[in-house]
Amino acid sequence: MVIAQLQSSHPCVLASRFARPARIHASSSSSSNRKLIPCNFWWFHSLAFKKHDYKINYAEKWEASSRSIEDKMDSSICMNVVDNSSFKFFRMDKKNTPQGYQVQLMIGSLSSYFWFRLTQMNFINAFVKIIQDLFPSMVWMLGATGSPFACISNSLNKPMPLKLDVSLPSLQDVRWNLARLLYLFNVQLERNVATFLVVLAVVCFSFVVFGGFLFFKFRDETQSLEDCLWEAWACLISSSTHLKQRTRVERVIGFILAIWGILFYSRLLSTMTEQFRNNMQKLREGAQMQVLESDHIIICGVNSHLSFILKQLNKYHEFAVRLGTATARKQRILLLSDLPRKQMDKLAENIAKDLNHIDILSKSCSLTLTKSYERAAANKARAIIILPTKGDRYEVDTDAFLSVLALQPIPKMNSVPTIVEVSNPNTCELLKSLSGLKVEPVENVASKLFVQCSRQKGLIKIYRHLLNYQKNIFNLWSFPNLAGMKYRQLRRGFQEAVVCGLYRNGKINFHPNDDEMLQPTDKILFIAPIHGKKKPQLASSNVANRIKISQHLKVLENNSDSTSYAIELVRARLELIAKRPGKPGSKASDGNLGPKERILLLGWRPDVVEMIEEYDNYLGPGSVLEILSDVPLDDRKRASNAIGHGKLKNVQVFHKIGNPLNFDTLKDTIMNIQNSFKDGEELPLSIVVISDREWLLGDPSRADKQSAYSLLLAENICNKLGVKVQNLVAEIVDSKLGKQIARNRPSLTYIAAEEVMSLVTAQVVENSELNEVWKDILNAEGDEIYVKDISLYMKEGENPSFFELSERAHLRREVAIGYVKDNKKVINPVPKSEPLSLTLTDSLIVISELEGEQPIVL
């Protein structure tokens, strides 16, 4: 049976205990050499009964082998013999004895026994290991299947083959894994340069430990391990230490440590330098730096308005320092932008090199993240200005909305005014609806302002005067002690200022009724110079006694207390006011038709559409607007479709393709306009030059050069052809260039509309309530500033005082704020009761709803 199982390929199964043979005949020696050997089976292999080969491996390298050719067996047994005897080796050779076959049978039985014991032991160990590995998953499976809601067809109960791939990875996989590891290290190194310092420290420590143990090994433990580690560290940090080594092996170890020390410190120095440079770069960008400022002004975005705003803020702080109202010697300005900080610093340096009363800090960050404004200490700022950084009007409004939305989560923002430049009045209402913020949207009406200034000579100078802190500007003051007083008394009572209207419930009214009572919460709008916190003083209420009017009104002054005096005074003033001016009317409206004009517009950009709308508001029916530009008609139509020509009531628009800088093209265009006039028809012609490209976000110097050249070229052509031009106007950004052109050519006018809008924004920063004032003045639907002929308010030979002119303008529902004499403007003249030597060629500056004749109100 044993032989049959040995011949089989299946394992042999025996009883748990197998009787050992009593003795083993190793040779023909005596019985004293016989020994009973306990053995543990190690390894067994059997092919056929051709030969036996036994190897017994004792605890002390015992081996035994046996070969049999006659029985055609081939076996190999490896045993671990637990014995401490002195036998080293024995060999059993089969002899031609009668007991040979029995010996073979006994050895085969022992082989089967040992093989069975090994199989049983390995099986038990493997079974225990499998149970240990599967016990957690079995517990989980039993719990899952024991649940009342467990799925009956649970896939976890089905045995799944593991399909493990135990083959060695290919060389390509090894390369990919190494490349992946290097990639992850580079990614981490890119995020933080200090990662390389950690790697260097670990490698350095490894070399010290490895070198110390090598020294300890090769010195036969003559030195302590601590001394060996210290010497390895000395070789690493000092390259000359390895020269002190004595043996060859120690010198090699010291040399390797010295070379690594040189590499280590070179890399350490470069890494620390790079880390320092990286930290300095972060400080320069300012993205991670927390601003510890208060009462500072934050300007978000960079465009062409920035230089004008900074100059205006510098003037305001300079004036505040002189008046003693400033809280610091310099006003801190924090400039936020997504541009690189180097570019921002260069731009700020070019602008602020002559500004001695502001200190500019820059910070590169995202303008739509709340974290950026938190680090800028937005809740401690004096004001926040958000400037547009895109050319498209829709992008301007969306960026502004996102920036304001990022400010909303910051606490205590309801007390910080946020001035936002937008392009659409609907966006203003949307921004104001955001809760928790004090938003003051400033609509960019530069195109409308340009149209107003192009139609009235000298109007741009008046705007600049009213926006200059060193001169007369708009002021809002509250007078609770004057509550209950009539507006008539207020209007006549202030001698050092011009009363322009009342500010009530967030709205401005330039023409209140004279019997309107002043409420405690109202504010009075003045035009006066800034005197710090000093308010204008109210003079005596009996102002009429100190007014010198015309000679024929002196008789009525003795009865100033009577009601009849006021009636007679109004009648006398009505006689001196021209009810119907000789020239045609005013701003177009339902009741008044504007003048009929012809305008040649040189250049094109998207906001020309807004200019066309503004011209349609001011001009009368039959007016013509011709546009000359090299911009394709398709681009113009796409911009014009936003309003549609069907909405234009008074102006017809014609487009012509051509370069305004070309002499022949411009000459042909002017000649065609001249030939289009009918016989005897004379229409006022105005030539207006605008920038032919969007310069708001870039350098405007090139656009200024083109505009100035086109304007001078148009003037030269008109002089050669004998064409009479009412206005020659150009849009110039640089005021210095505009003033130079105006000095050389007094007939030419330059308009810096964007500069005026920037000054408006800067003034709203100092007083957010003035936003409503300028919004009404710069809007065609409200009141505007006009320069009107003095003949509408006086007759030839009169010398009325400014107070008298103000009263006459009040009858026309107008507010007189100054006059123009000999091409020199005077705003808020003081004293107001002295007679003025004015002629009919002079003008009166008023705030009015209509440009020409105004209906008289009794």
Side-chain angles (χ1 to χ4, degrees), residues 137-178:
S137 58
M138 291 174 64
V139 172
W140 181 84
M141 291 169 57
L142 291 174
T145 55
S147 176
F149 298 100
C151 181
I152 297 176
S153 59
N154 192 352
S155 61
L156 296 176
N157 295 331
K158 300 177 182 179
M160 298 294 292
L162 296 179
K163 298 181 181 180
L164 297 178
D165 186 9
V166 295
S167 62
L168 293 176
S170 63
L171 183 60
Q172 184 178 2
D173 294 338
V174 174
R175 289 179 178 178
W176 187 90
N177 291 329
L178 293 177

Side-chain angles (χ1 to χ4, degrees), residues 601-604 627-632 636 656-660 692:
L601 186 64
L602 304 180
W604 175 269
I627 302 174
L628 175 63
S629 176
D630 55 359
V631 177
R636 304 187 202 180
K656 184 175 181 181
I657 301 295
N659 192 345
D692 202 33

Side-chain angles (χ1 to χ4, degrees), residues 184-315:
L184 295 177
F185 175 74
N186 291 333
V187 169
Q188 188 65 27
L189 185 63
E190 183 180 359
R191 293 178 178 176
N192 190 1
V193 183
T195 305
F196 201 73
L197 292 175
V198 178
V199 176
L200 286 177
V202 172
V203 176
C204 178
F205 178 77
S206 302
F207 267 81
V208 171
V209 173
F210 183 72
F213 275 102
L214 288 179
F215 280 139
F216 182 74
K217 176 68 176 177
F218 288 102
R219 289 177 180 177
D220 298 330
E221 302 181 1
T222 57
Q223 285 183 336
S224 63
L225 181 60
E226 181 181 357
D227 294 336
C228 293
L229 292 174
W230 182 257
E231 190 166 354
W233 169 252
C235 293
L236 189 69
I237 64 174
S238 178
S239 58
S240 62
T241 307
H242 78 284
L243 300 177
K244 301 178 183 179
Q245 305 301 323
R246 297 178 181 179
T247 64
R248 180 181 301 173
V249 177
E250 292 177 358
R251 290 174 181 175
V252 173
I253 297 174
F255 176 75
I256 295 175
L257 291 176
I259 293 298
W260 170 249
I262 295 174
L263 296 176
F264 169 73
Y265 280 103
S266 62
R267 294 302 301 169
L268 179 64
L269 181 61
S270 61
T271 304
M272 293 181 65
T273 304
E274 184 65 24
Q275 180 68 16
F276 181 76
R277 185 182 294 111
N278 190 22
N279 292 336
M280 292 302 298
Q281 181 66 24
K282 289 182 179 180
L283 290 178
R284 291 190 188 100
E285 294 296 331
Q288 307 296 330
M289 183 179 63
Q290 177 66 42
V291 177
L292 301 177
E293 296 285 346
S294 60
D295 199 37
H296 57 292
I297 298 176
I298 301 176
I299 301 179
C300 306
V302 175
N303 59 15
S304 60
H305 293 184
L306 179 62
S307 59
F308 305 121
I309 292 176
L310 292 178
K311 291 178 182 178
Q312 189 73 353
L313 294 177
N314 180 74
K315 290 181 180 180

Side-chain angles (χ1 to χ4, degrees), residues 455 595-599 619-620 622-625 683-684 686 726:
R455 303 193 65 252
K596 183 179 179 181
E597 296 182 7
R598 197 174 189 101
I599 298 173
L619 300 180
S623 299
V624 177
L625 178 64
L683 291 179
S686 298
Q726 182 179 3

Side-chain angles (χ1 to χ4, degrees), residues 336-372:
L336 303 182
S337 176
D338 52 0
L339 298 175
R341 192 173 181 182
K342 288 185 178 180
Q343 184 177 351
M344 296 168 57
D345 291 340
K346 184 178 180 181
L347 179 62
E349 183 179 358
N350 293 333
I351 296 174
K353 57 183 178 181
D354 297 330
L355 307 180
N356 301 322
H357 297 276
I358 61 174
D359 188 11
I360 301 177
L361 304 176
S362 60
K363 187 178 178 68
S364 179
C365 60
S366 175
L367 301 180
T368 57
L369 295 178
T370 304
K371 196 67 176 179
S372 300

